[in-house]
Amino acid sequence: MTELRFDNRVAVITGAGRGLGAAYARLLASRGAKIVVNDPGVSMGGDGGDAGPAQQVVDEIIAAGGTAIANTDSVATPEGGAAIVEAALKEYGSVDILIHNAGIVRRGPLKELSYEDFESVLDVHLRGGFHVVRAAFPRMCDARYGRIILTGSINGLYGNRDVVNYSVAKAGLIGLSNVAAIEGEEFNIKSNIILPGAVTRMAEGLDTSKFPPMDPELVAPAVAWMAHESCTLSGEMLVSIAGRMARAYAAETRGVHRPEWTIEDVAAEIEAICDTHAPLRFPPVPTGHLDHLRYSFEMASKN
Ligand code: NAD
């Protein structure tokens, strides 16, 4: 297969000073993309700031013959999101690829988590996603080209203890990606989600000694493919963890129709309602919402 390249493409990558984002930046730059390495260099919990991580990734890219600039604005505010996208437009004249990868973690059980810890995690992951997509999307529509990759997590699909803020934010990003995919379709904009797993500083405190190899570099090709012009997916989610790549998607059981329901009917039918035999799938693009309605209405009209 011919090498997939990104010559003349401009990629904005949030949180690219460390971990997964840095791996995406290095890979895309090595294939010709011009990169905005965004990262304010905050702590795991989102405190402080350090221009060093973003600059270090830029220095590495330039030393390897690539093209990149550093940006230290925060995705957590509308002004910060706009400034990150503006940095790409000012330096390189376009934003073809947007990878929202920035993230923080603040742990706490549901019965104790503070509103501040809830909001600050939503600000970076979920609102941060909106801030950069909102700024980049009109430009991509004008250019009739765009590739958006948002960072979900299996936490957003399955949840986990002590991270309700994170699980909520990651689940919310699926909605953002789906709408960008639907509204972007006519403009050749594709939007997808990566559900990554890698040993980064986010694994601090875990015993990773028995984990299989889980370097961020194992995840980067999936993200880079979704960032490429030949990407065929939109409104989809790819899992990449420890060398395993897979597709995650929403499905519905075929369901049961009755013209009227009592509570007792639900109790009597619950097994049939939940029967996962021959599940239904309504991909968001092009018409998942409508297909769901159509299927449900057809069931009603048949009975
Ligand atoms: P990381 O901590 O190494 O990198 C995250 C980067 O985001 C940091 O460099 C940080 O400074 C930056 N950041 C934080 N707040 C920011 C802000 N307001 N604006 C811009 N940048 C900001 O962590 P990672 O493991 O590389 O995580 C990258 C992404 O992948 C995150 O969204 C994370 O939730 C997600 N993720 C990671 C894993 C995993 O296994 N590592 C699993 C699921 C999801």
Side-chain angles (χ1 to χ4, degrees):
M1 188 188 236
T2 49
E3 188 180 67
L4 297 180
R5 293 198 54 85
F6 298 85
D7 300 304
N8 299 318
R9 295 291 186 204
V10 177
V12 171
I13 310 175
T14 71
R18 302 186 181 97
L20 286 157
Y24 307 157
R26 287 191 208 98
L27 180 59
L28 290 179
S30 75
R31 297 294 182 95
K34 299 169 187 161
I35 316 286
V36 175
V37 176
N38 160 259
D39 206 310
V42 296
S43 72
M44 255 331 297
D47 300 313
D50 177 3
Q55 192 56 51
Q56 194 185 324
V57 173
V58 168
D59 291 347
E60 284 172 32
I61 289 172
I62 290 172
T67 306
I69 55 162
N71 170 281
T72 55
D73 286 297
S74 169
V75 291
T77 64
E79 300 75 30
I84 294 165
V85 171
E86 192 53 41
L89 296 170
K90 195 168 158 229
E91 185 73 16
Y92 301 127
S94 69
V95 51
D96 306 302
I97 298 163
L98 172 65
I99 302 174
H100 174 49
N101 158 84
I104 63 170
V105 177
R106 291 190 179 191
R107 293 179 200 280
L110 180 53
K111 61 185 180 188
E112 284 170 20
L113 192 85
S114 70
Y115 275 80
E116 198 209 328
D117 286 351
F118 184 76
E119 290 298 339
S120 60
V121 168
L122 260 66
D123 281 345
V124 176
H125 291 270
L126 182 56
R127 295 192 187 93
F130 181 69
H131 297 149
V132 285
V133 170
R134 181 66 186 80
F137 198 73
R139 300 299 186 141
M140 290 179 168
C141 291
D142 288 347
R144 304 194 81 79
Y145 186 83
R147 295 288 180 266
I148 297 170
I149 296 103
L150 305 181
T151 307
S153 166
I154 54 165
N155 253 303
L157 298 184
Y158 310 130
N160 205 357
R161 287 180 178 278
D162 295 340
V163 282
V164 63
N165 45 8
Y166 188 86
S167 297
V168 165
K170 292 307 198 187
L173 285 164
I174 299 171
L176 176 59
S177 176
N178 286 345
V179 174
I182 292 163
E183 294 190 12
E185 199 199 4
E186 66 187 285
F187 300 104
N188 189 20
I189 298 170
K190 296 190 190 295
S191 180
N192 292 292
I193 296 257
I194 182 73
L195 303 170
V199 172
T200 65
R201 69 173 182 170
M202 276 198 188
E204 265 168 30
L206 295 176
D207 176 10
T208 57
S209 59
K210 300 214 165 52
F211 282 19
M214 278 181 67
D215 292 333
E217 284 69 24
L218 268 174
V219 177
V223 170
W225 181 76
M226 290 190 284
H228 195 260
E229 61 190 36
S230 65
C231 172
T232 47
L233 301 181
S234 196
E236 297 287 339
M237 296 184 274
L238 286 188
V239 173
S240 178
I241 176 167
R244 170 178 172 251
M245 269 187 216
R247 175 196 200 179
Y249 58 91
E252 295 184 30
T253 62
R254 302 195 84 76
V256 175
H257 178 269
R258 295 171 71 106
E260 284 174 16
W261 286 87
T262 64
I263 305 171
E264 291 72 24
D265 292 334
V266 179
E269 296 278 21
I270 195 66
E271 272 188 34
I273 292 167
C274 294
D275 179 3
T276 54
H277 169 73
L280 301 167
R281 174 155 155 65
F282 305 112
V285 176
T287 52
H289 187 165
L290 208 65
D291 297 341
H292 163 99
L293 293 178
R294 201 175 288 134
Y295 180 85
S296 306
F297 292 176
E298 267 172 23
M299 242 175 141
S301 65
K302 270 186 209 148
N303 292 347

